[in-house]
Every structure is written in structure tokens, then in C-alpha cells.
Amino acid sequence: MADVMDELPEAGEGKRGVDGHLGYLLRQAAHAHRQRVEQRLSGLSLTLPQFSALTMLDAYPGHSGADLARLALVTPQTMSVIVANLLKAGLVERTPHPIHGRIQTITLTETGAVMLRAAKQCVYALEAEMLTDLAPEVRAAIRQWLTRIARPEAG
């Protein structure tokens, strides 16, 4: 039985390579990307979900935790924990919605904006490394393809 276990392929080999199922390859690539981003962000004491939340808040300020959860691709419960940690770190602040008093809107603090700029430098450098051997038109095609398959009508 030990011989069978020794035969497991590394990432990029066998069914974990070009002959693999597309869904699996997407998941494998996302997992590898997350690990690399987490490693780069660890020096800033920031996680990938926190980075995603800060990035979405920067792009779409003043939304609720539920809206932010949809944008960052996590559950509202998970976003609640993320926001609590970001609040504790002084990276975001909550204020009552001007019309719907029970809704709290979330925005970046100045400290959060500074942190996000530093985090973007780390993450964008990694992305540039990942794309370094690809022509600009291939990069554009990959972005278009990933965006297209993420749309609801693609399914």
C-alpha cells in the first residue's frame, strides 16, 4: 500500500497538470495563489480575505458588511469576523447608514488606506511575477476568460 501512496503526482503533473479536469485546475491554481499571497502579506499581519475586504472597500466605500461579503466572496458571518478584526486593527470604521439606521456602513480609515497601499505593492508584485512570461494579449485573454466564466450567465 505504501507504494501506491508514493505515486501521488505533484501539482502540475498527471491529472493535476494539463490533463486534469478544468474545475480542479482552477481550484488548484486558486489554492496556490492564496498560499503565495498569504505568505507575502504575512509581514503586514494581513490575510488574503482582509486584503480582499480592504480592496473592495477602497473601490466601493460606504457599503454594509453584507454587501462587502458579496464583493469579497465570503459569507456574511465570515465578513463579520473580518470586519471585527479590521476594526480592532484600526483599518476600517463603521458609521450608521444615513437613511437605514440599523445598517452600518464601513469605510477605510487613513491607517487602512496606508496598509492597503503597502499590501497592494506585495500582491501586485506577485501577480507581475506570475504573468512575466505571458504576452500582453495573452494576459488580457486570461482576464477576459476568468471574468466571463465568473458571470452568472456563463453557467
Side-chain angles (χ1 to χ4, degrees):
M1 188 61 133
D3 291 339
V4 172
M5 293 183 77
D6 292 341
E7 296 174 16
L8 288 177
E10 295 293 325
E13 298 176 352
K15 290 295 183 182
R16 298 182 71 196
V18 295
D19 294 329
H21 175 29
L22 183 60
Y24 177 82
L25 296 176
L26 284 168
R27 183 176 161 101
Q28 177 178 248
H31 178 74
H33 180 260
R34 181 181 179 130
Q35 286 182 317
R36 291 176 185 135
V37 170
E38 292 275 0
Q39 181 182 21
R40 298 280 178 108
L41 294 176
S42 67
L44 298 172
S45 299
L46 202 63
T47 65
L48 179 55
Q50 290 171 334
F51 173 73
S52 295
L54 293 175
T55 299
M56 290 299 117
L57 279 174
D58 187 44
Y60 310 103
H63 283 275
S64 69
D67 291 336
L68 190 55
R70 283 189 288 280
L71 290 169
L73 307 173
V74 298
T75 65
Q77 296 83 356
T78 298
M79 184 53 68
S80 179
V81 172
I82 292 169
V83 169
N85 288 327
L86 293 173
L87 283 164
K88 201 180 311 178
L91 303 178
V92 299
E93 60 189 3
R94 278 196 283 214
T95 55
H97 188 279
I99 298 169
H100 307 287
R102 293 181 60 200
I103 297 175
Q104 297 281 309
T105 60
I106 306 164
T107 54
L108 289 177
T109 62
E110 184 55 39
T111 303
V114 169
M115 174 67 80
L116 180 58
R117 281 193 295 275
K120 281 182 175 182
Q121 286 182 338
C122 295
V123 173
Y124 293 170
L126 173 63
E127 289 178 359
E129 290 169 21
M130 289 171 34
L131 297 170
T132 192
D133 62 339
L134 299 176
E137 59 273 9
V138 174
R139 295 176 190 190
I142 290 169
R143 288 179 184 276
Q144 290 172 352
W145 179 73
L146 289 170
T147 302
R148 189 183 77 232
I149 64 171
R151 290 195 175 118
E153 63 271 11

